[in-house]
Amino acid sequence: MTSPTIYDVARAAGVATSTVSRAFSNPQRVSAPTRELVVQVAAELGYSPNPHARALTSRRTQTIAMVVSDITNPHFFEIIRGAELRAKASAHTLVLVNAEESPRIEREQINRLSRSVDGFLLAASRLPEDDLVELAGSHALVMVNRQVPGIPGVVLDQREGCRQLVTHLASLGHTSLAYLTGPRESWMAASRWAAIRDAAAEAGMTAVRMGPFTPRVTHGAAAADAALTTGATALIAHNDLLAIGVLQRLAARSVRVPDDVSVTGFDDIFAAELCTPSLTTLGGTHVNLGRAAVELLLEAADAPRRPGAAAQHLVLPSQLVLRDSTGLARGRRGPA
Amino acid sequence: MTSPTIYDVARAAGVATSTVSRAFSNPQRVSAPTRELVVQVAAELGYSPNPHARALTSRRTQTIAMVVSDITNPHFFEIIRGAELRAKASAHTLVLVNAEESPRIEREQINRLSRSVDGFLLAASRLPEDDLVELAGSHALVMVNRQVPGIPGVVLDQREGCRQLVTHLASLGHTSLAYLTGPRESWMAASRWAAIRDAAAEAGMTAVRMGPFTPRVTHGAAAADAALTTGATALIAHNDLLAIGVLQRLAARSVRVPDDVSVTGFDDIFAAELCTPSLTTLGGTHVNLGRAAVELLLEAADAPRRPGAAAQHLVLPSQLVLRDSTGLARGRRGPA
DNA sequence: AACATCATGGCAACTGCTTGCCGCTCGGAT
DNA sequence: ATCCGAGCGGCAAGCAGTTGCCATGATGTT
């Protein structure tokens, strides 16, 4: 009934338990013939190592936790999917944690899991930078879509992406834009605004920031209303969900998109190409974000705290997806 | 540096390690004053139990695995979210596994995790029933959106939901429908077809089944083309993704929806209300599916194999969401 | 007063695997 | 012939808890 242990295998193979152990966890430490014998006997007995016993002494759990700030946001799912795929490829288990946009929950869950996992993937973490630095001291950490000095991370290129986005709007004749920003704690929101502002200045556009808004569809109404008061003809929403909510509100208020105002989002979620009008958005291959993040984490866990080596920061390309929600600025229609 | 153990706590509190252990894992086994002392000393020392050491002897891991057949499908997000929420509420950890529509991967991953988790949530499992029954013999199992005799599970009510859906179509004057079915291994697909067929017969409609189709947007084209050959005026796609693909193909072929044909889906994913035309679909609160599934699993893990008690099957209500993709059958327009 | 019962704390064996250290063997260098 | 080191297997002490069993004293019973 109860599953076999290394003792059973050792006895059956006529070797010591340490040999069995090594045959599995440190194969090159054992001669080929012995290893094969052990492996074969183990297979016959249906032995497989107990992960908890293994973790107890070795402190390696083959498990990584992914903490997302809000599991409700479909854009995370691509990241999660990429992470799961990559983790599975390395025989690692992926634990999923939803921080529900709460720094407190985020912190609690990290503490709770700190013994059970090899490291954390923090996606769009809402924790203050100090906390993160402190955590990084005792845990392997990889940030996703947030840059923290000294902590490895992967992000989608915002600077360049935002520049393209703003340039696109400028080329359509827009001269003023409004950025509908996300949560106060969101590093992404700050980073996007900085990039947008700079790009706007460069393109000779005026840029204002409104918000913060909770980046959900339902909060698009408030965002749209606020944006309209600015007179801006180009609205850049913090993400696609908010943008879709904005589109809905504009439609309800009979503001035509893109004839009266242009609207853009971020993330290129699945729904972005289905909504009406379809949404111009700054996307990128989020699957790769997840994948790369796991990769970084596995490296970090292997070579823990190599002191000299700076924390790796990967910047993956974003890409501007042009759809129907952006068009010539008002008054720029027809033959120039 | 290294975190304190029960030994440290025991020494500091002047009690035996067993007392410390019990104070945490079996509080009523220890008198209130002693327990409080231990808890307080533990707090001062920053002690928290090592989950692996705990799991090693007790065989309880406070972890549950959720295996989904295809993480790509947004409809699972909601289920996952519900499960995560409920698991967290009981201080359990949720492990996420993507079976990538492959029974082999599904089986492998279950085996791999069998020692590390208290039980499995199998969402839309593609495993043959025999395998499931066998697994249920050695693991706590809860099926999500699949019914297997003898194994507890939660499903959204298909029979009643499909009846409503078909009745809705009949009331619009449709007399023939086509069901664009999902994967061969999908229990859901079979179950839906059975319910649709019966309801159609009851309503005096003819019903044909086409497929199987992979339930993704990209496969909607083939599904639409196949459906059109049948002459049916009402198309019921296996899920919303497929339905959206069908809508796109129909638009490309200039078939008007709902004027020429009506289209419906299942799941009521976020995109269903955004696509054009918006999609009539059979939804339900998937969050609750996830939540209920975890609940059942926790129960099952608590009272393992109570022999007399039949496996619990929960049937949650589905709900028909009427949108713009269904309308009067061709020739039924205008005043009757 | 004698005895059964119960709540409580401690002892120690046990969970299944890892790993530092030791010692043997054997090939090659001296 | 001697020495050295590499390669390999074994010993045994952990890792951090859990839990069956026992001893003790307090409480209850008749």
Side-chain angles (χ1 to χ4, degrees):
Chain A
M1 202 65 256
T2 164
S3 47
T5 71
I6 45 168
Y7 295 97
D8 302 320
V9 177
R11 194 173 331 113
V15 298
T17 60
S18 48
T19 304
V20 178
S21 171
R22 289 196 270 253
F24 283 95
S25 53
N26 195 2
Q28 71 277 27
R29 181 64 175 70
V30 145
S31 71
T34 315
R35 185 194 326 137
E36 274 153 32
L37 169 68
V38 168
V39 167
Q40 197 206 316
V41 170
E44 279 164 17
L45 265 55
Y47 165 80
S48 76
N50 179 318
H52 296 293
R54 190 172 253 200
L56 189 53
T57 45
S58 71
R59 285 169 192 301
R60 271 172 274 109
T61 64
Q62 303 277 97
T63 300
I64 67 196
M66 168 134 203
V67 184
V68 299
S69 59
D70 177 16
I71 205 178
T72 287
N73 187 338
H75 130 255
F76 283 122
F77 259 87
E78 287 295 293
I79 301 180
I80 295 173
R81 186 161 73 88
E84 198 274 345
L85 234 54
R86 185 61 187 80
K88 190 158 56 189
S90 294
H92 279 244
T93 300
L94 212 234
V95 162
L96 183 63
V97 178
N98 179 12
E100 301 172 50
E101 287 283 3
S102 151
R104 186 182 54 75
I105 297 185
E106 187 170 349
R107 191 63 209 244
E108 274 175 16
Q109 292 298 311
I110 292 175
N111 287 343
R112 203 174 75 74
L113 290 173
S114 74
R115 299 284 246 309
S116 341
V117 304
D118 290 344
F120 292 91
L121 261 33
L122 266 34
S125 172
R126 301 302 189 225
L127 290 178
E129 204 162 298
D130 291 349
D131 282 33
L132 294 172
V133 170
E134 180 208 322
L135 277 173
S138 47
H139 301 276
L141 234 59
V142 169
M143 311 300 302
V144 178
N145 270 347
R146 173 165 176 178
Q147 276 177 329
V148 180
I151 307 181
V154 269
V155 292
L156 240 39
D157 184 6
Q158 296 303 304
R159 267 217 101 61
E160 173 58 19
C162 286
R163 213 186 49 68
Q164 283 180 33
L165 181 60
V166 171
T167 304
H168 163 62
L169 292 169
S171 72
L172 291 171
H174 293 274
T175 55
S176 68
L177 66 81
Y179 174 56
L180 309 170
T181 191
R184 205 182 306 279
E185 300 88 355
S186 164
W187 177 88
M188 213 53 176
S191 149
R192 281 174 185 161
W193 169 238
I196 289 169
R197 199 189 32 198
D198 295 355
E202 197 179 308
M205 298 175 74
T206 67
V208 296
R209 175 169 59 166
M210 311 294 289
F213 301 102
T214 304
R216 303 250 180 88
V217 174
T218 45
H219 296 257
D225 291 346
L228 288 180
T229 67
T230 68
T233 58
L235 313 185
I236 303 182
H238 175 72
N239 73 5
D240 287 349
L241 291 176
L242 189 64
I244 288 172
V246 167
L247 288 179
Q248 290 176 351
R249 177 61 161 195
L250 293 177
R253 289 186 54 177
S254 304
V255 178
R256 292 166 307 163
V257 176
D259 300 18
D260 295 330
V261 299
S262 288
V263 175
T264 72
F266 283 90
D267 296 345
D268 191 21
I269 63 175
F270 172 54
E273 65 172 307
L274 297 172
C275 56
T276 311
S278 62
L279 189 66
T280 292
T281 184
L282 187 68
T285 47
H286 291 97
V287 185
N288 290 342
L289 264 190
R291 203 192 307 266
V294 170
E295 218 132 277
L296 242 48
L297 188 55
L298 294 181
E299 278 175 33
D302 264 6
R305 310 272 97 212
R306 204 163 10 151
Q312 273 210 60
H313 287 267
L314 249 54
V315 180
L316 269 44
S318 55
Q319 75 199 51
L320 183 60
V321 183
L322 297 187
R323 295 211 185 87
D324 301 334
S325 67
T326 47
L328 288 176
R330 202 165 34 207
R332 292 301 209 95
R333 296 255 139 203
Chain B
M1 198 66 255
T2 164
S3 46
T5 70
I6 44 170
Y7 294 95
D8 303 319
V9 177
R11 194 173 330 112
V15 298
T17 61
S18 48
T19 303
V20 178
S21 171
R22 289 197 268 253
F24 284 94
S25 54
N26 195 2
Q28 72 277 28
R29 181 64 176 71
V30 147
S31 70
T34 316
R35 185 194 325 139
E36 274 153 32
L37 169 68
V38 169
V39 167
Q40 197 205 316
V41 170
E44 279 164 17
L45 265 57
Y47 165 80
S48 76
N50 178 317
H52 295 294
R54 192 171 248 197
L56 188 54
T57 45
S58 71
R59 285 167 192 303
R60 271 172 272 108
T61 63
Q62 304 277 98
T63 300
I64 66 194
M66 169 135 200
V67 184
V68 299
S69 58
D70 177 17
I71 206 178
T72 286
N73 187 338
H75 132 256
F76 284 121
F77 298 3
E78 287 294 293
I79 301 181
I80 295 174
R81 185 161 74 89
E84 198 275 345
L85 234 55
R86 184 62 186 79
K88 189 158 56 190
S90 294
H92 278 245
T93 301
L94 212 235
V95 162
L96 183 62
V97 179
N98 179 12
E100 302 172 50
E101 287 283 3
S102 151
R104 186 182 54 76
I105 296 184
E106 188 170 348
R107 190 61 208 247
E108 275 175 14
Q109 292 297 312
I110 292 176
N111 287 344
R112 202 174 76 75
L113 290 173
S114 74
R115 299 285 246 310
S116 342
V117 303
D118 291 344
F120 292 91
L121 260 34
L122 266 33
S125 172
R126 302 299 189 227
L127 290 178
E129 204 162 298
D130 291 349
D131 283 32
L132 293 172
V133 170
E134 180 207 322
L135 278 173
S138 47
H139 302 276
L141 235 59
V142 169
M143 310 301 303
V144 178
N145 270 347
R146 172 164 177 179
Q147 277 178 327
V148 179
I151 306 181
V154 268
V155 291
L156 241 38
D157 185 4
Q158 296 303 306
R159 266 216 103 60
E160 175 58 19
C162 287
R163 214 186 50 69
Q164 282 180 33
L165 182 60
V166 171
T167 304
H168 163 63
L169 292 169
S171 72
L172 291 171
H174 294 274
T175 56
S176 68
L177 66 81
Y179 174 57
L180 309 172
T181 191
R184 206 184 305 278
E185 300 88 355
S186 164
W187 177 89
M188 215 50 177
S191 149
R192 281 174 185 161
W193 169 239
I196 289 168
R197 200 189 33 198
D198 294 356
E202 199 178 305
M205 298 175 76
T206 66
V208 296
R209 174 169 58 166
M210 311 293 288
F213 300 101
T214 303
R216 304 248 179 90
V217 174
T218 46
H219 296 257
D225 291 346
L228 287 179
T229 67
T230 68
T233 58
L235 312 186
I236 303 182
H238 175 72
N239 73 6
D240 287 349
L241 292 176
L242 189 63
I244 287 171
V246 166
L247 287 179
Q248 290 176 350
R249 177 60 163 195
L250 292 177
R253 290 187 53 177
S254 305
V255 178
R256 293 166 306 162
V257 177
D259 300 20
D260 295 331
V261 299
S262 289
V263 175
T264 73
F266 284 90
D267 297 344
D268 191 21
I269 62 176
F270 172 55
E273 66 171 309
L274 297 172
C275 56
T276 312
S278 62
L279 188 66
T280 292
T281 183
L282 187 68
T285 48
H286 291 98
V287 186
N288 290 341
L289 263 191
R291 204 192 308 265
V294 170
E295 217 132 278
L296 242 48
L297 188 55
L298 293 180
E299 278 175 33
D302 265 5
R305 310 273 97 213
R306 202 162 12 150
Q312 273 209 62
H313 287 266
L314 250 53
V315 180
L316 269 44
S318 55
Q319 76 199 49
L320 185 58
V321 183
L322 296 188
R323 296 209 185 88
D324 301 334
S325 67
T326 48
L328 287 175
R330 201 163 37 203
R332 291 302 209 91
R333 298 252 139 202

